[in-house]
Amino acid sequence: MRLSRAQSLLAALLSLRIGQAVKDYSHASSITSLLQISQSAKKDCGTPPTVDGKDLKTLIDDNAGVLIVGIKDMKCTQAAAAALDAAGLAYELVEISGGFSYQKGASTAWDWLHCAYPDDLEGSTIMHSYVFLKDEFLGQGFVAAEKIKAGAATGVAASGQSCEDKYTSEAEVVRQFMAKAANRVLLFGWQQCPCMSIVHGRFSEKNLCYEGRTWANPSSTLMSYLQC
């Protein structure tokens, strides 16, 4: 049976509408599936552990500024803190326990954070810190530090403390070295930094005398003060 031109046009129109309806349904189904997967993933992380009297999720959801949750003496944690100090921005540090390398089951707080915020790697290594701007995850400490330096935390309240106020004894050490008129050149640095070898080599070439202090501990508070 041959269709009239009007019937052919009507059939084509119905086909287009049905096709669009199928696409819309598929799109809605995909969104629903993604939401279900997301909700399922969150449930898999279990009940948020308690830190400082509050569960971690509440601490993050209620955060109004910059929040660092991490192991205090680790480099990634200190990198984020140093970037905030250098920018003069206020932040809260909530400490969690844990070793040098992540081991599942060793720290309930770290387990939950790694599950809820799995984008916490530096290379292939799970980092020790999680940085939040309000309730937004900025990244692990090294990533967050770069974002902060690029202005990601613009609008956050100033810390209200100078670097000298935060690191009183360290500031005094530097002040005493600088107060001596005989000290024409001062060198402060972490012994394992490649830059130290370069500096020592150039000073030796010039037979240059200098004073200062170096340290083996990469978590030295003196280095934190100088970074601030």
Side-chain angles (χ1 to χ4, degrees):
M1 181 179 67
R2 297 182 63 183
L3 297 177
S4 66
R5 184 179 180 185
Q7 288 174 322
S8 297
L9 289 173
L10 179 60
L13 180 60
L14 286 172
S15 178
L16 287 172
R17 288 186 175 180
I18 291 170
Q20 185 61 48
V22 169
K23 286 182 181 178
D24 291 342
Y25 176 80
S26 298
H27 181 64
S29 298
S30 297
I31 293 173
T32 301
S33 297
L34 287 172
L35 288 172
Q36 288 173 343
I37 291 170
S38 176
Q39 290 169 355
S40 175
K42 288 182 180 179
K43 288 179 182 177
D44 288 343
C45 295
T47 303
T50 299
V51 179
D52 290 349
K54 284 187 177 181
D55 70 71
L56 270 177
K57 187 174 186 308
T58 300
L59 278 171
I60 294 165
D61 289 345
D62 292 349
N63 176 46
V66 178
L67 172 67
I68 304 174
V69 184
I71 302 173
K72 183 178 180 180
D73 293 330
M74 295 300 172
K75 290 182 182 179
C76 56
T77 307
Q78 294 180 337
L84 289 160
D85 285 337
L89 300 176
Y91 62 93
E92 179 183 2
L93 172 61
V94 174
E95 295 183 46
I96 61 172
S97 62
F100 183 75
S101 299
Y102 173 74
Q103 296 291 333
K104 188 174 182 180
S107 168
T108 54
W110 201 357
D111 284 344
W112 186 86
L113 286 162
H114 176 55
C115 175
Y117 304 96
D119 188 15
D120 58 356
L121 302 180
E122 181 74 10
S124 60
T125 304
I126 297 170
M127 290 292 99
H128 313 79
S129 55
Y130 300 77
V131 184
F132 302 88
L133 177 59
K134 297 184 178 179
D135 61 351
E136 175 192 353
F137 180 51
L138 285 182
Q140 47 93 345
F142 291 125
V143 170
E146 294 306 312
K147 290 182 178 180
I148 290 162
K149 291 174 185 177
T154 301
V156 173
S159 65
Q161 270 190 315
S162 67
C163 296
E164 287 69 23
D165 291 334
K166 289 181 180 179
Y167 302 97
T168 307
S169 60
E170 292 76 15
E172 180 61 19
V173 168
V174 176
R175 188 196 68 76
Q176 289 182 8
F177 273 105
M178 295 184 69
K180 295 179 181 179
N183 291 340
R184 303 297 298 274
V185 178
L186 294 174
L187 173 64
F188 297 90
W190 176 42
Q191 294 169 1
Q192 301 303 314
C193 179
C195 59
M196 294 296 288
S197 297
I198 296 171
V199 171
H200 285 144
R202 291 181 179 176
F203 283 5
S204 295
E205 288 175 3
K206 301 293 183 180
N207 293 318
L208 188 65
C209 295
Y210 61 92
E211 291 290 339
R213 184 172 293 182
T214 62
W215 49 88
N217 181 9
S219 300
S220 165
T221 52
L222 181 56
M223 184 160 70
S224 295
Y225 166 66
L226 292 167
Q227 288 176 324
C228 179

